[in-house]
């Protein structure tokens, strides 16, 4: 079998566009998922009980079903309930709703890991409940969840590939199309793997940099 | 200043079915440094935490400088919870120092000490930091102001925690086993800060296993056993004259470890 990467590289403009869309879906989706996940975690912690139960069900359903099926239901099932979306917005909403369930759990665990004594120390010097949340709980939770949040960001980078099934013109879809055109499946998949790996390495590097920058804030040994 | 710094009346505290405090009465005059000692599980930390309203008493009252903390209790025993702002106001007269220090890891030493001045008292940043710096000087850590808790030794962390408790200018400072997680050398530096504070006339309540400190600094020593104040007297009364058999039993291991000279 000939391994001719040039076949694919010759379609660079299309590829570049595919890369671009993947990165946009990834970054926008991750930001959306983290924000929504944070709101869910706060609502479950401080909101009324019925809302908490509802959000718990949401998290269990999202975590309990494959992303592929969730996307199918959103994109192909949506129109039957009057929700017709273009591929790109559907993909963004899908990845946000999916990632948010995981981020919500990461943040919940982070909040619970903040030592209660740090909260008591704040109460003793006169903080209100809100001041405790903003000055102590959120900053400490953020440091605690950093490794898990980076991990989730990496998972979402690779999960953008699933968006190809609802015809979001991201890199997996573009390369697959080129691959079929030239019957160059191995080359195309090889290049694709290389791309995701590079993206993940970059993300991991950023995560490690952030962790070492924040290391002086780490919890002190007593 | 005619009222006591702290007045505790018939204080009970239960966790579920376990009764931890079984009717504590205690009066602490201004400027006194009582030490609460007793075996583990005797309720001394719970008593201190109830005094700071970190635990809500099951019944009974805590009055700080004439103001009830947490609840008011009427003659027939019905309790009314005070509004959160009133609880914060009364509690701001109390500084609390914990066994685990509980410094906020994302703030420097100066940040930890100045935080309440900025967030709660709304002082301008400069003034808050000047006042915080003065507190750090008191505990001998002005040259560690920009260090984060993770960059400080245990003893230094606890001294920062003391500076943080003092920054809000409390009328009373509570110490909950402040040296229990420190080695003897670091324990010494923390106890020195506490001695200086006592010499300054601060009213302090100290829960500690440092019998030597209790004997030398405490004007009163209260011995708690199974949720009750067994003895409350001067160190001389508690440790020397007609020692209660329960105290003998408790002190045995201290005496074994060579602390007899302190008593």
């Amino acid at each position: 079998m000939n391994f001719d990467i040039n076949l694919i590289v010759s379609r660079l403009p299309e590829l570049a566009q595919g890369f671009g869309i993947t990165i946009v879906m990834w970054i926008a989706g991750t930001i959306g998922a983290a924000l929504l996940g944070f709101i869910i975690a706060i609502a479950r912690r401080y909101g009324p009980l019925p809302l908490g139960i509802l959000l718990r069900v949401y998290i269990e359903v999202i975590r309990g079903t494959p992303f592929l099926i969730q996307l199918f239901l959103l994109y192909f099932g949506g129109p039957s309930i009057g929700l017709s979306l273009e591929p790109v917005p559907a993909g963004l909403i899908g990845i946000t709703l999916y990632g948010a369930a995981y981020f919500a759990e990461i943040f919940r665990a982070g909040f619970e890991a903040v030592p209660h004594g740090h909260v008591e120390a704040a109460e003793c010097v006169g903080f209100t409940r809100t001041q405790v949340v903003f000055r102590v709980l959120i900053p400490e939770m953020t440091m605690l969840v950093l490794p898990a949040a980076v991990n989730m960001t990496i998972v979402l980078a690779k999960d953008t590939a699933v968006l190809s099934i609802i015809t979001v013109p991201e890199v997996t879809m573009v390369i697959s199309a080129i691959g079929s055109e030239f019957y160059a499946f191995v080359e195309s998949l090889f290049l694709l793997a290389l791309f995701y790996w590079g993206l993940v390495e970059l993300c991991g590097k950023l995560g490690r940099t952030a962790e070492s920058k924040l290391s002086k804030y780490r919890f002190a040994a007593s | 200043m005619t009222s006591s710094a702290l007045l505790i009346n018939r204080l009970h505290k239960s966790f579920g079915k376990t009764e931890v405090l079984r009717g504590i009465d205690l009066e602490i005059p201004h400027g006194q440094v009582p030490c609460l000692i007793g075996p583990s599980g005797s309720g001394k930390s719970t008593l201190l935490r109830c005094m700071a309203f970190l635990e809500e008493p099951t019944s009974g009252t805590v009055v700080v400088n004439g103001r009830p903390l947490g609840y008011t209790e009427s003659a027939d025993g019905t309790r009314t919870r005070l509004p959160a702002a009133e609880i914060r106001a009364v509690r701001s007269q109390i500084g609390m120092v914990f066994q685990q220090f509980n410094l906020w890891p994302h703030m420097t030493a100066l940040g930890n000490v100045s935080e309440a001045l900025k967030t709660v008292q709304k002082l301008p940043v400069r003034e808050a930091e000047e006042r915080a710096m003065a507190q750090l000087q008191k505990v001998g850590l002005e040259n560690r102001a920009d260090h984060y808790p993770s960059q400080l030794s245990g003893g230094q962390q606890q001294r920062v925690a003391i500076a943080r408790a003092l920054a809000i200018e409390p009328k009373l400072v509570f110490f909950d086993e402040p040296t229990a997680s420190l080695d003897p050398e670091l324990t010494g530096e923390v106890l020195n800060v506490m001695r200086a504070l006592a010499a300054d006339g601060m009213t302090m309540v100290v829960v500690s296993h440092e019998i030597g400190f209790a004997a030398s600094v405490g004007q009163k020593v209260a011995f708690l056993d199974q949720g009750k104040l067994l003895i409350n007297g001067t160190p001389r009364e508690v440790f020397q004259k007609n020692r209660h058999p329960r105290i003998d039993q408790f002190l045995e291991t201290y005496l074994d470890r060579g602390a007899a000279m302190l008593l």
Side-chain angles (χ1 to χ4, degrees):
Chain A
M1 192 179 87
N2 293 324
F3 191 88
D4 188 0
I5 212 91
N6 287 330
L7 283 177
I8 295 181
V9 174
S10 67
R11 305 288 289 271
L12 207 57
E14 267 170 81
L15 277 176
Q17 202 181 14
F19 288 158
I21 289 177
T22 289
I23 286 173
V24 167
M25 300 301 285
W26 171 48
I27 291 177
T30 303
I31 292 171
L35 282 177
L36 184 61
F38 181 78
I39 292 166
I40 292 171
I42 290 277
R44 283 187 70 196
R45 200 178 160 86
Y46 300 106
L49 187 64
L51 179 65
I53 293 168
L54 202 71
L55 291 171
R56 174 77 200 274
V57 170
Y58 165 76
I59 289 167
E60 292 303 318
V61 168
I62 295 283
R63 293 203 307 174
T65 55
F67 182 41
L68 184 74
I69 292 171
Q70 294 162 16
L71 267 185
F72 259 127
L73 284 175
L74 177 70
Y75 185 67
F76 297 110
S80 63
I81 55 161
L83 185 73
S84 293
L85 293 165
E86 291 297 307
V88 169
L92 267 181
I93 291 171
I95 207 159
T96 297
L97 293 177
Y98 164 72
Y102 291 86
F103 272 115
E105 282 293 280
I106 291 172
F107 293 141
R108 179 191 59 78
F111 276 125
E112 283 172 11
V114 174
H116 189 56
H118 294 194
V119 173
E120 289 183 345
E123 286 171 353
C124 280
V125 293
F127 281 38
T128 63
R129 234 172 98 108
T130 320
Q131 285 166 341
V132 169
V133 173
F134 283 94
R135 301 297 299 156
V136 175
L137 280 174
I138 291 177
E140 292 195 24
M141 178 279 287
T142 309
M143 292 184 297
L144 288 167
V145 302
L146 194 64
V150 169
N151 203 34
M152 189 61 215
T153 306
I154 286 172
V155 168
L156 287 181
K158 291 181 292 179
D159 280 348
T160 55
V162 179
L163 300 178
S164 60
I165 63 122
I166 58 163
T167 70
V168 174
E170 48 70 69
V171 72
T172 300
M173 190 182 151
V174 172
I175 288 192
S176 306
I178 298 169
S180 333
E181 197 178 317
F182 294 114
Y183 288 97
F185 296 109
V186 175
E187 288 89 336
S188 61
L189 292 175
F190 177 75
L191 193 67
L192 195 58
L194 217 57
F195 167 75
Y196 284 113
W197 186 33
L199 202 61
V200 165
E201 282 303 316
L202 184 76
C203 179
K205 178 90 182 63
L206 287 175
R208 280 191 296 277
T209 309
E211 273 179 55
S212 71
K213 278 234 154 64
L214 292 175
S215 71
K216 65 181 175 191
Y217 306 132
R218 77 181 178 277
F219 283 56
S222 57
Chain B
M1 297 290 253
T2 47
S3 65
S4 320
L6 196 81
L7 192 63
I8 298 168
N9 223 333
R10 299 186 321 278
L11 192 77
H12 287 260
K13 174 67 185 175
S14 302
F15 292 105
K17 284 195 174 133
T18 319
E19 202 177 10
V20 180
L21 297 177
R22 302 187 297 165
I24 304 277
D25 293 293
L26 190 64
E27 184 178 355
I28 298 167
H30 289 282
Q32 209 182 59
V33 183
C35 293
L36 294 174
I37 60 169
S40 298
S42 60
K44 53 194 191 307
S45 279
T46 304
L47 173 58
L48 195 74
R49 290 170 59 79
C50 283
M51 282 154 61
F53 207 59
L54 289 172
E55 303 286 354
E56 302 192 10
T58 310
S59 68
T61 53
V62 175
V63 179
V64 181
N65 276 324
R67 284 167 83 177
L69 175 57
Y71 289 94
T72 50
E73 204 173 60
S74 61
D76 63 346
T78 50
R79 299 204 297 170
T80 324
R81 198 190 159 98
L82 294 163
E86 170 68 10
I87 292 173
R88 279 199 302 277
V90 178
R91 195 145 64 175
S92 71
Q93 303 184 47
I94 297 168
M96 184 83 185
V97 177
F98 302 86
Q99 178 183 347
Q100 297 299 334
F101 326 138
N102 290 334
L103 293 180
W104 302 305
H106 55 296
M107 298 178 199
T108 61
L110 188 69
N112 267 279
V113 180
S114 62
E115 180 60 31
L117 302 177
K118 293 185 276 197
T119 307
V120 180
Q121 301 186 8
K122 312 279 183 208
L123 292 184
V125 174
R126 239 192 82 164
E127 197 188 332
E129 289 187 345
E130 271 168 17
R131 278 173 55 178
M133 205 61 181
Q135 293 298 343
L136 283 176
Q137 250 155 16
K138 252 193 209 170
V139 298
L141 286 174
E142 65 277 16
N143 57 351
R144 293 284 186 277
D146 57 351
H147 284 51
Y148 286 86
S150 63
Q151 301 164 326
L152 298 170
S153 74
Q156 290 170 335
Q157 288 179 55
Q158 191 60 299
R159 282 147 68 196
V160 172
I162 293 172
R164 174 176 69 179
L166 294 176
I168 59 169
E169 296 179 343
K171 302 281 187 298
L172 291 131
V173 185
F174 296 166
F175 294 84
D176 188 6
E177 307 205 20
T179 58
S181 45
L182 300 173
D183 68 32
E185 203 176 358
L186 299 178
T187 294
E189 67 181 55
V190 170
L191 291 182
N192 282 339
V193 168
M194 289 166 64
R195 276 199 187 91
L197 198 58
D200 266 1
M202 178 61 85
T203 313
M204 297 154 62
V205 183
V206 183
V207 166
S208 181
H209 289 298
E210 293 293 329
I211 302 292
F213 180 86
S216 61
V217 180
Q219 290 111 331
K220 279 286 181 76
V221 173
F223 185 88
L224 244 82
D225 192 37
Q226 298 181 5
K228 285 193 161 166
L229 270 182
L230 203 59
I231 295 180
N232 182 17
T234 63
R236 185 172 284 272
E237 286 164 348
V238 176
F239 292 128
Q240 287 178 345
K241 280 196 317 199
N242 310 319
R243 215 149 64 203
H244 192 286
R246 182 68 188 88
I247 298 208
D248 263 344
Q249 199 188 347
F250 177 68
L251 289 178
E252 212 163 276
T253 62
Y254 283 98
L255 299 174
D256 283 351
R257 296 203 306 254
M261 50 180 284
L262 293 168
L263 306 182

